[in-house]
Amino acid sequence: MKEYLRELPAIHAIQKDHRFTVLQEEYDIPLSALTKWIRNIIHDIREQMLNGSWQQESPTTIALEDHIFTMLNQKAEAFRQHNVRQVINATGTILHTNLGRARLSQKAMEQVVLTAGNYSNLEYDLEQGQRGSRHQLIESILTEITGAEAAMVVNNNAAAVYLILRALAHEREVIVSRGELVEIGGSFRISSIMEESGAILKEVGTTNKTHVYDFEQAINDETAILMKVHTSNFKTIGFTNSVQAEELVELARKHRAPLIYEDLGSGALYDFEAGDEPVVPDVLKTGVDIISFSGDKLLGGPQAGIILGRQDLMDQLKRHQLARVLRVDKMTLAALEATLKSYAADNTEEIPVIRDMSLSTTEIRKRVDAFVAGVREKSGDWHFDIQDDTSQIGGGSMPEVEMATLVVAVCHTDLSPQQIFDRLRTGQPAVLARRKYDQVLLDFRTITEEEIPLLVDRFTNI
Ligand SMILES: *Cc1c(COP(=O)(O)O)cnc(C)c1O
């Protein structure tokens, strides 16, 4: 195969080809990058020829040039797309864990952009003219909204659980009801995170029933925490009993020892009325010592873990070495502050999660009509059937709540449902539809008005 080597074109021969000019104009990629790619492609071909893995029989220079341009176009096309990219969520699931959970509010996005592109007072106290703390930037608004004594923010709720257990219960016992030993999203288990933290898990009660006396009998000198976990992603029904936070608080007072910690999961700051999601200020009023929850579930902010509770405990957590490991960045703080301000000002309709949850079918209908009319204007190959259905909140929040919605079942004269589903998913921008039996459904609860022209384009160019 070594004799093929002399057929390999030189880099400058490729650069002189008219296809190179076309490619340069189409993709707007600098000459230096393109030259590097050509060099790499030619290098790979040479390697294949030398080690005998080159497949083509007696390649001519012309055939090799064609091959190089095919590779170069593929590389340029791949480069044009970002790996992290927009997806139009047509599933109707508002907090889709695979699609990045909550969308940020306009104000939160603006603050992220401002903070990302500029210097900020992240760790500088402008009033005092000295080094400041990033914790302080967010603490006052969190305590104002929730009534907590003190607050802290870490990377996500899993990090919050880990930090709390590690800092407050290392090598000591944490009592949890068997019915609350949850697994979330396949990768987060209370029992595993507990093990990692060095806290000793003490399970009490049974899967369906746990009583206060189960906790009481398990308390000893080694008990550090009585823990409650909000079982937000499933529902046990029938013959059940769980111990309420109030009862644990009373029990802890009686034994003058352990802390009460509740992992709230979602952490609603807004009273959704639907479902039985407790509101954060109410949970704090029960007298629990510490709670934690996610920033990007029902709260509708960026990925974060919010910890609220007693001042002395929060001081202990902030001083812990792990606090530095689990800290949030400036963009997260900027987005979280802006989101919390919407709550502080009672402007919760600014928050997409809350807005999407309260959308009426009349409003959803407007989006459906705009989409259907847009596609019909340009293409006669689609058939649409508008149906009543329900959407879910997702993200392991309020699984029992179903919101009335409208979905469009889409059919195409030449494409099977699977082909429609796959093409929508793999095109630009990607569209993730809902599958139900052999139907492809679009739930317009999670498709914004701004996305409708993009969606119409996807359908007319499929
Ligand atoms: C979602 C959830 C977590 C994990 O939160 P992340 O912010 O995803 O890390 C932990 N505990 C409970 C109960 C949850 O619902």
Side-chain angles (χ1 to χ4, degrees):
M1 282 194 186
K2 293 201 176 67
E3 68 275 16
Y4 300 164
L5 287 175
R6 52 184 147 80
E7 300 295 331
L8 266 175
I11 292 175
H12 64 83
I14 298 288
Q15 284 171 334
K16 274 201 219 117
D17 195 298
H18 77 280
R19 285 173 289 184
F20 186 77
T21 323
V22 173
L23 192 121
Q24 237 183 333
E25 278 166 11
E26 160 124 21
Y27 290 97
D28 191 27
I29 293 167
L31 181 66
S32 58
L34 283 172
T35 308
K36 191 175 74 189
W37 294 349
I38 299 168
R39 187 178 300 122
N40 290 345
I41 293 167
I42 293 178
H43 173 84
D44 288 349
I45 298 174
R46 178 177 289 118
E47 289 290 296
Q48 287 171 25
M49 288 175 168
L50 286 171
N51 69 23
S53 64
W54 179 252
Q55 296 298 334
Q56 242 169 295
E57 282 289 313
S58 330
T60 61
T61 304
I62 291 173
L64 284 169
E65 278 176 0
D66 288 349
H67 179 71
I68 290 166
F69 273 107
T70 306
M71 302 292 289
L72 199 54
N73 270 301
Q74 277 171 8
K75 174 77 188 163
E77 191 56 44
F79 188 75
R80 177 144 71 180
Q81 290 197 13
H82 285 269
N83 282 341
V84 181
R85 62 180 96 133
Q86 181 188 3
V87 175
I88 295 179
N89 176 7
T91 65
T93 301
I94 298 171
L95 294 172
H96 202 301
T97 300
N98 304 139
L99 301 182
R101 289 200 187 146
R103 283 185 290 137
L104 293 181
S105 70
Q106 188 63 37
K107 286 183 178 164
M109 287 192 289
E110 283 162 15
Q111 285 308 112
V112 170
V113 171
L114 199 68
T115 313
N118 294 284
Y119 293 107
S120 61
N121 61 337
L122 183 64
E123 289 192 345
Y124 191 82
D125 186 331
L126 294 170
E127 293 285 318
Q128 303 293 324
Q130 63 192 28
R131 195 196 156 99
S133 147
R134 70 179 69 208
H135 297 305
Q136 248 159 24
L137 296 176
I138 199 84
E139 186 160 16
S140 59
I141 188 156
L142 274 170
T143 52
E144 179 193 325
I145 297 172
T146 61
E149 206 172 286
M152 178 184 182
V153 180
V154 290
N155 186 49
N156 55 14
N157 190 30
V161 176
Y162 180 59
L163 174 63
I164 290 167
L165 295 175
R166 174 84 200 188
L168 307 177
H170 188 59
E171 288 176 353
R172 298 185 62 206
E173 291 179 1
V174 178
I175 309 176
V176 190
S177 158
R178 284 206 170 81
E180 297 181 359
L181 285 171
V182 297
E183 171 175 310
I184 292 126
S187 59
F188 176 86
R189 278 187 180 176
I190 292 291
S191 51
S192 312
I193 212 115
M194 184 106 53
E195 201 177 314
E196 280 299 324
S197 76
I200 302 154
L201 171 64
K202 203 152 178 194
E203 301 174 32
V204 294
T206 61
T207 322
N208 59 329
K209 279 200 166 200
T210 302
H211 305 274
V212 185
Y213 60 73
D214 293 319
F215 276 90
E216 185 153 29
Q217 282 164 7
I219 294 178
N220 62 39
D221 289 345
E222 288 307 310
T223 311
I225 293 178
L226 307 185
M227 183 175 180
K228 248 191 96 56
V229 183
H230 190 62
T231 55
S232 42
N233 60 353
F234 70 99
K235 269 231 109 44
T236 42
I237 51 167
F239 201 54
T240 66
N241 190 62
S242 60
V243 180
Q244 300 308 304
E246 290 91 334
E247 300 173 279
L248 290 182
V249 169
E250 208 173 297
L251 187 64
R253 286 214 181 104
K254 202 163 117 195
H255 290 269
R256 270 182 282 116
L259 296 171
I260 309 298
Y261 163 40
E262 182 158 4
D263 171 9
L264 272 182
S266 244
L269 292 179
Y270 173 84
D271 192 352
F272 290 95
E273 281 159 18
D276 54 7
E277 195 71 30
V279 200
V280 168
D282 291 348
V283 178
L284 288 169
K285 278 190 207 125
T286 62
V288 294
D289 300 291
I290 193 161
I291 64 172
S292 71
F293 51 91
S294 300
D296 55 354
K297 290 186 181 170
L298 285 175
L299 191 137
Q303 179 192 302
I306 297 166
I307 309 173
L308 304 175
R310 263 166 49 188
Q311 183 77 54
D312 60 324
L313 301 177
M314 223 56 66
D315 290 344
Q316 217 175 319
L317 295 183
K318 285 177 192 167
R319 277 197 308 268
H320 199 279
Q321 275 300 309
L322 267 181
R324 174 66 163 76
V325 177
L326 306 173
R327 76 181 186 184
V328 286
D329 79 320
K330 58 193 173 187
M331 291 181 282
T332 301
L333 284 171
L336 187 59
E337 184 187 17
T339 309
L340 294 171
K341 276 199 152 97
S342 296
Y343 286 98
D346 268 331
N347 282 332
T348 44
E349 75 286 350
E350 292 173 347
I351 298 169
V353 171
I354 296 179
R355 209 169 46 214
D356 291 348
M357 276 183 69
S358 45
L359 270 183
S360 68
T361 45
T362 316
E363 288 163 297
I364 297 171
R365 179 79 207 204
K366 276 191 213 148
R367 298 177 184 183
V368 168
D369 289 345
F371 165 75
V372 171
V375 178
R376 290 230 167 105
E377 204 172 284
K378 293 179 189 152
S379 161
D381 293 333
W382 289 99
H383 178 74
F384 299 126
D385 182 29
I386 302 166
Q387 305 170 359
D388 288 319
D389 210 319
T390 54
S391 351
Q392 289 222 324
I393 294 164
S397 307
M398 304 200 244
E400 74 281 21
V401 175
E402 294 192 324
M403 296 160 288
T405 192
L406 288 175
V407 296
V408 180
V410 300
C411 296
H412 189 271
T413 42
D414 305 321
L415 299 169
S416 71
Q418 190 61 44
Q419 283 173 319
I420 297 172
F421 184 77
D422 291 343
R423 288 200 194 176
L424 287 174
R425 194 188 67 240
T426 52
Q428 275 270 74
V431 177
L432 194 66
R434 211 197 280 174
R435 288 302 311 260
K436 191 176 180 184
Y437 311 117
D438 60 345
Q439 287 187 306
V440 178
L441 306 177
L442 307 177
D443 185 340
F444 279 75
R445 176 180 296 280
T446 44
I447 301 171
T448 61
E449 275 160 39
E450 294 77 50
E451 284 171 328
I452 288 176
L454 296 171
L455 193 63
V456 168
D457 275 352
R458 285 298 322 278
F459 272 77
T460 45
N461 298 320
I462 205 153

